[in-house]
Each structure stands twice: as C-alpha cells, then as structure tokens.
Amino acid sequence: MVIRLSQLFLRTLREDPADAEVASHKLLVRAGYIRRAAPGIYTWLPLGLSVLRKVEEIIRQEMSAIGGQEVHFPALLPKEPYEATNRWTEYGEGIFRLKDRKEADYLLAPTHEEVFTLLVKDLYSSYKDLPLSLYQIQTKYRDEARPRAGLLRGREFIMKDSYSFDVDDEGLDASYAAHREAYLKIFARLGLEVVPVAATAGAMGGSKSEEFLHPTDIGEDTFVRSPGGYAANVEAVTTVVPEEIDFSNAPPAHVRNTPNTPTIETLVEASNQIAPRSEADGGAWTAADTLKNVVLAVTLPTGERQIVVLGVPGDRAVDLKRVEANIGAFLPIAGEVVLEAAGEEDLRKHPGLVKGYIGPGLTLDEPLLGLEGSTKLLYLVDPRVVSGTAWITGANLPGKHVYGLVAGRDFGWDGVIECTEVRAGDEAPDGSGPLETARGIEMGHIFQLGRKYAEALDLKVLDQNGKQVVVTMGSYGVGVTRAVAALAESNHDEKGLVWPRAVAPADIHVVAVGRGDEIFQTAEKLALELEAAGLDVMYDDRPKVSPGVKFGDAELIGVPTILAVGKGLVDGIVEIKDRRSGNAENVPVEKAVDYVVNAVRSR
Ligand code: ATP
Ligand code: MG
C-alpha cells in the first residue's frame, strides 16, 4: 500500500493543543493521529487508525495462540445483568447510564464480565465444553472523574477483554498462566516494556491478580520492586508487621498538657521539652512514637456518607489510593468509593472528637473510637499498631495528649488496614530486601475472578460425576488505545514521534524534496518498488511544499525510516535516514530498495 500525502486526510499542526500536558497527547494530535471530540473522547484519523489496527492485530494473534476465540458484544447493554452482580450500584458515578423510549435502564458497558458469563450459560452446560476462553476488542465507556493525558485515560476507550471458564481451580490456574504468558508476548512484540506486579482486585472482586505496568514518570500508578524480585502495585503492598509486645509491665498511660500542639511536628517538639525520654527508653521522641488519627469521609456507591477514623504512626502519611483499595472489606456495601478528609461539618456531628487532639479514648472501658466506642465511628489502624505498642496520642481534650497509651490494653480497633504510604527503603513483605519505588501506567490487568460472577448469574455445568458445579472464571484486560498512547509516550523526541516498527503507520516514508520532474518520477518509482517488495509505504508527493515542511512532517509523523529523493539525484544518490538514531546514509539510487528492505527486515 502506498499512502500519498497529497491525498491523505491529514493536517499536521505546529502548535500543541491547549489541553495537552503529556508528550504523547501533544504529538498524537499535532501529527494528525487523533482529534478530540469531547473531554476524554477522541476521533481516530487515518494515521491513528493504522497504528491502532497494528496493535490490535498483535493482540489478536497472541490471544488466538492461546486458544482464545473472538466475539463482539454491544457497548449498549440492559441494566439487569449488572444489577444481578450489584455492579449497577457499585460503579457509582463511574458508568454512563441511559434510558430507552420505554424508560428501561441501559448502560454503556465499562467492562463485560456479566454478559460473557450469561453468554456461556446460554449455550454451554457440560464440563466437556470447558475450558473456554473468549475475548473481544471493543469500546468501553467509563465516566472517569479525571480523564487525562489524551488516550491514556479516556472516557471512551478500546480494551481487549478476555474471560476464561473452567470447571476447577487447577483449570483456572492454567488459563491464568496462559494469559500471563500471552500478555508478556504481546507487550514484547509491541516494544513496550512492562513489569508484572501484584495487584489488588478492586471493584472486580476475586483473588489473585496482577497488573502489567509500563514504567514512566507520567504514570498514575506507583509500584515497588525489591532486589530479590518482589514487585507490587503500591496499593497491594503489605506491611512487615512488628512482633506483639508483652505489656504486663508497661507503665500506665497519663495525660499531659500540651498546649498549641495540633500537628505531629509541634507535638514531637513539645514532648521532647516537657517529657523528654531517656536514651535507655529509646531516646528523643520522634513522629513514629505518635499515633495520628485521621478522619476520612467515605462516599459509598449509594451516595451515603460514612466517617472512618484511621490510626497510623505519625511519621507515615495516609495514602488515599491504598485506603481506597483496601477499605472495601470494612464497608457495608462493595464498590467504588470516594474518599476525602472529613470537613468541619463532619466533625461537628461528633463532639467527642477534638480537632488536632483526636485519640481512640483513654481506657478500653470507655472507648471513644471504634464501633464499641461512644462515637460509634469505624476505627481502623495501620498494621504497625500491634498489641503492646505504646503511643503518644490525642486525649480528646483541647491542648492535651496522652502518653504511653498501649494498644490492646488501653484501646482497641475494628480492623487493621493497609492505608499508609509505602516508602523507598521499606522492607519487602517477602524479605527480599528494601523496596524502591517507581511510577507506571497500567497497560494490562489479569484477575482470577473465581466463582463470584458465575454464582451471581448461576453459571453451572455438569461435572464428570453428573453433578452441577459452579464454573470458575478469569478476566483479563489490555488497554488497546492506552497502548497506542504509551507507545507514543515512550517513543518520541523533541521533533516528533518515533514508532517502533511493529506498529508504525508505514515501514518507509519516501519524501520527494525540491523541484523537477525527475525527483518526483524517481521518488514515485521507488515508492512503487518498495510497495512491490511488500512494504507499507508513505510517500510525500505533495507538489510545492518546501523541503523544510516535508522533513518536519516526516519527523513529526515518526515512520522509522525516511528516504529522501532530492538534490543528490543528479549524482545518482538518495538519502536514507533512520528516524530514531538520526543517522543518514547516502545510497546509490539503484541500491535504495534493497537497502530499505534490509533495514525494515532487520528491524
Ligand atoms: P485504571 O486503574 O488505570 O483506572 P482499571 O484498573 O480501572 O484502570 P481495568 O478495569 O483493569 O482498568 O481495565 C483493563 C485495562 O483497560 C487497564 O489495564 C487499562 O490498560 C485499560 N483502561 C482502563 N481504564 C482506561 C481508561 N479510562 N482509558 C484507557 N484505558 C483504560
Ligand atoms: Mg486494573
């Protein structure tokens, strides 16, 4: 195929779009791959579609290689299946809901577990039909709170989603492992570095789950790695829990006046003045000796607002993403929640809590926090708050703190939650060394769903003994449009895009530079010969466009090899340039086709 720039529906832009912050977004718009239609919603132009199709094709091949069969579901679906699993509610504001003319409820699907489950239930009924893997490459809709960075976080986006169906856990393990391998192959073929990390299951439910993160500073996910090979999304990292301490000889807690100490910093400073600790007892007080009680307001998927108090060591910040990932177990209803610091209004409803001096209460007999306490507020603590640890914390009296308040002796809690920041240098939970942190973009996510969806929707098959068993499922996603953006993000320079060969919109960009029939005739001939050799060719045949503009566009568009036919032609020479390295070579015109074909084949 020869794409002629004189015909191509393309306008490259000199200016970055006003709403673009990251390079991939700017360049994909400027180079004419996509156009914004609405916030987080994009139109695909010919060049963009050609890259998108190549990404899709690689995914298709690898899915088919593990026995996946392609189907295609509608995006527009009735509410009922999603009601059966409660996700109609759980998704909260995250989905687009609509009504038909008969007032029946529909949604634009954010993901398709329910309808895949129902499809298999509809047609299959025996263990002999399994294992089964189905997939689709399909448009998803999510009303993201913060659509961002162009295609990276859209409200309409393309996902490859597959679902596996097995009779037993061993079967699920095998399907999961096959997908994991296929994903590693897909990303390797795309030329996209990914790190598989342990993940939390989030709104999806189920047990084992891993994400494939593409390391980049603009990523929204933070992950950790240890020298010994531990890797996890920060949301999934578990804290190394200290040993419980015998408190039978611990001194009693006592309240002190600590005026003007509403922050941890002021509290530590004041404590070292009014109640210095001896070297033998551990030396000067630090923030880690204080128990900070952070009051959060949680908006449930139903819209209800609930207050939760987190008790954490004062030297650790609360990480809202970790709270969000792990708080589900303690809430009355599953699903997406919105978290924020509780406001004055929330605190006013609980007069027992004194801002800046909040604590769990002074004795176990009269707890303030916890569902047994006078405020009846859910009280969750960081895993470091183990029985026997002693803390400086608020006394719930203005200007007063309590010293030596012992966990398990003087106060209790409703649950333990991973809720504080993970820091570089923290120990990996499997003992494989200190963690380092990095940022990444989630490119794919695989889940062992188990029987949650099959149970909710009653997907059963007859097993070998003629008994009805609930099917066990896996769900596996790749962000297809996000992959295009991530590839652009990691393959560009100040001049423009630099596509990896596997997904480039063409193999070779032939540019006719200058004037004269001979230049255009030669360029045309080379373009056709390259096409005949099996390459995808882009040919800049635009008359009366300056060499500067043509080269600028070629660099912006980012085809990996550029063949310029220009002034050198009088000496029988053309220039072949590698877009990535910038290296240019003068090649005799009669050798040009072989040279380019070799460059393309050797990648
Ligand atoms: P994120 O944490 O980034 O919001 P997610 O965990 O909600 O993603 P999944 O439900 O696991 O996403 O979806 C599978 C894949 O679809 C993700 O790994 C990601 O690559 C892609 N994806 C999810 N949301 C978006 C979006 N808003 N825009 C583009 N791609 C997305
Ligand atoms: Mg995910």
Coordinates of all heavy atoms in Angstrom, one line a residue, residues 261-262 293 295 344 347-348 350-359 368-369 375 393-401:
T261 N -0.3 22.2 70.2 CA 0.3 21.1 69.5 C -0.6 20.3 68.6 O -0.8 19.1 68.7 CB 1.0 20.1 70.5 OG1 -0.1 19.7 71.4 CG2 2.1 20.7 71.3
P262 N -1.3 21.1 67.7 CA -2.3 20.4 66.9 C -1.6 19.5 65.7 O -2.3 18.8 65.1 CB -3.1 21.5 66.3 CG -2.2 22.7 66.3 CD -1.2 22.5 67.4
N293 N -4.5 10.3 64.3 CA -5.8 9.7 64.0 C -6.5 10.6 62.9 O -6.8 11.8 63.1 CB -6.7 9.7 65.2 CG -6.1 8.7 66.2 OD1 -6.2 7.5 66.0 ND2 -5.5 9.2 67.3
V295 N -9.3 11.5 60.2 CA -10.7 11.3 60.0 C -11.1 11.5 58.5 O -10.8 12.5 57.9 CB -11.5 12.3 60.8 CG1 -13.0 12.0 60.8 CG2 -11.0 12.3 62.3
E344 N -15.2 20.2 58.6 CA -15.7 20.8 59.9 C -17.1 20.3 60.3 O -17.4 19.9 61.4 CB -15.7 22.3 59.9 CG -14.4 23.0 59.5 CD -13.5 23.1 60.7 OE1 -14.0 23.0 61.9 OE2 -12.3 23.2 60.5
L347 N -17.0 16.8 61.6 CA -16.5 16.7 62.9 C -17.5 17.3 63.9 O -17.6 16.7 65.1 CB -15.2 17.5 63.0 CG -14.0 16.9 62.4 CD1 -12.7 17.7 62.6 CD2 -13.8 15.5 63.0
R348 N -18.3 18.3 63.5 CA -19.3 18.9 64.4 C -20.3 17.8 64.9 O -20.8 17.9 66.0 CB -20.0 20.0 63.8 CG -19.5 21.4 64.3 CD -20.5 22.5 64.0 NE -20.7 22.7 62.6 CZ -19.8 23.4 61.8 NH1 -18.7 23.9 62.3 NH2 -20.0 23.6 60.5
H350 N -19.7 14.9 65.7 CA -19.1 14.0 66.7 C -18.3 14.8 67.7 O -17.1 14.9 67.7 CB -18.2 13.0 65.9 CG -18.9 12.2 64.9 ND1 -19.8 11.2 65.2 CD2 -19.0 12.4 63.6 CE1 -20.3 10.7 64.1 NE2 -19.9 11.4 63.1
P351 N -19.0 15.5 68.6 CA -18.4 16.4 69.5 C -17.3 15.8 70.4 O -16.4 16.5 70.9 CB -19.6 16.9 70.4 CG -20.8 16.2 70.0 CD -20.5 15.3 68.8
G352 N -17.3 14.5 70.5 CA -16.2 13.8 71.3 C -14.9 14.1 70.7 O -13.9 14.0 71.4
L353 N -14.9 14.3 69.4 CA -13.6 14.4 68.7 C -13.1 15.9 68.7 O -13.8 16.8 68.3 CB -13.7 14.0 67.2 CG -14.2 12.6 67.0 CD1 -14.3 12.3 65.5 CD2 -13.3 11.6 67.7
V354 N -11.9 16.1 69.2 CA -11.4 17.5 69.3 C -10.3 17.6 68.3 O -9.2 17.0 68.4 CB -10.9 17.8 70.7 CG1 -10.3 19.2 70.8 CG2 -12.0 17.6 71.7
K355 N -10.6 18.5 67.3 CA -9.6 18.6 66.1 C -8.2 18.9 66.6 O -8.0 19.8 67.5 CB -10.1 19.7 65.2 CG -9.5 19.6 63.9 CD -10.2 20.6 62.9 CE -9.3 20.5 61.6 NZ -9.0 21.8 61.1
G356 N -7.3 18.2 66.1 CA -5.9 18.4 66.5 C -5.5 17.6 67.7 O -4.3 17.4 68.0
Y357 N -6.5 17.0 68.4 CA -6.2 16.3 69.7 C -7.0 15.0 69.7 O -7.4 14.5 70.8 CB -6.5 17.2 70.9 CG -5.6 18.4 70.9 CD1 -6.1 19.6 70.2 CD2 -4.3 18.4 71.4 CE1 -5.3 20.7 70.1 CE2 -3.5 19.6 71.3 CZ -4.0 20.7 70.7 OH -3.3 21.8 70.6
I358 N -7.2 14.4 68.5 CA -8.1 13.2 68.5 C -7.3 12.0 68.9 O -6.2 11.8 68.6 CB -8.6 13.0 67.0 CG1 -9.5 14.2 66.7 CG2 -9.4 11.7 66.9 CD1 -10.0 14.2 65.2
G359 N -8.0 11.1 69.7 CA -7.4 9.9 70.1 C -8.5 8.8 70.2 O -9.7 9.1 70.1
L368 N -13.6 5.8 72.8 CA -14.2 6.9 72.0 C -14.4 6.4 70.6 O -15.5 6.6 70.0 CB -13.4 8.1 72.1 CG -14.1 9.3 71.6 CD1 -15.0 9.9 72.6 CD2 -13.1 10.4 71.1
L369 N -13.4 5.9 70.0 CA -13.4 5.4 68.6 C -13.7 3.9 68.6 O -13.4 3.2 69.5 CB -12.1 5.8 67.9 CG -11.8 7.3 67.8 CD1 -10.5 7.5 67.2 CD2 -12.9 7.9 66.9
T375 N -18.5 7.3 70.0 CA -18.8 8.0 68.8 C -19.3 7.0 67.7 O -19.9 7.4 66.7 CB -17.6 8.7 68.1 OG1 -16.5 7.7 68.0 CG2 -17.1 9.9 69.0
T393 N -0.7 10.1 71.9 CA -1.8 10.4 71.0 C -2.8 11.4 71.7 O -2.6 11.7 72.8 CB -2.5 9.1 70.5 OG1 -3.4 9.4 69.5 CG2 -3.3 8.4 71.7
G394 N -3.8 11.8 70.9 CA -4.7 12.8 71.4 C -5.5 12.3 72.6 O -5.8 11.1 72.6
A395 N -5.8 13.2 73.5 CA -6.6 12.9 74.7 C -8.1 13.3 74.5 O -8.9 13.2 75.4 CB -6.1 13.5 75.9
N396 N -8.4 13.9 73.3 CA -9.7 14.4 73.0 C -10.1 15.5 73.9 O -11.3 15.7 74.2 CB -10.8 13.3 73.0 CG -10.5 12.2 71.9 OD1 -10.5 12.6 70.8 ND2 -10.2 11.0 72.3
L397 N -9.1 16.2 74.4 CA -9.3 17.4 75.2 C -8.4 18.5 74.5 O -7.3 18.2 74.2 CB -8.9 17.2 76.6 CG -9.7 16.2 77.4 CD1 -8.9 15.8 78.7 CD2 -11.1 16.7 77.8
P398 N -8.9 19.7 74.4 CA -8.1 20.7 73.7 C -6.8 20.9 74.4 O -6.7 21.0 75.6 CB -9.0 22.0 73.8 CG -10.3 21.6 74.2 CD -10.2 20.2 74.9
G399 N -5.7 20.9 73.7 CA -4.4 21.1 74.2 C -3.9 20.0 75.1 O -3.0 20.2 75.9
K400 N -4.4 18.8 75.0 CA -3.9 17.7 75.8 C -3.7 16.4 75.0 O -4.4 16.1 74.1 CB -4.9 17.3 76.9 CG -5.1 18.4 78.0 CD -6.0 17.9 79.1 CE -6.5 19.1 80.0 NZ -5.4 19.7 80.8
H401 N -2.6 15.7 75.4 CA -2.3 14.4 74.8 C -2.1 13.4 75.9 O -1.8 13.7 77.0 CB -1.0 14.5 73.9 CG -1.2 15.1 72.6 ND1 -1.1 16.5 72.3 CD2 -1.6 14.6 71.4 CE1 -1.4 16.7 71.1 NE2 -1.7 15.6 70.5

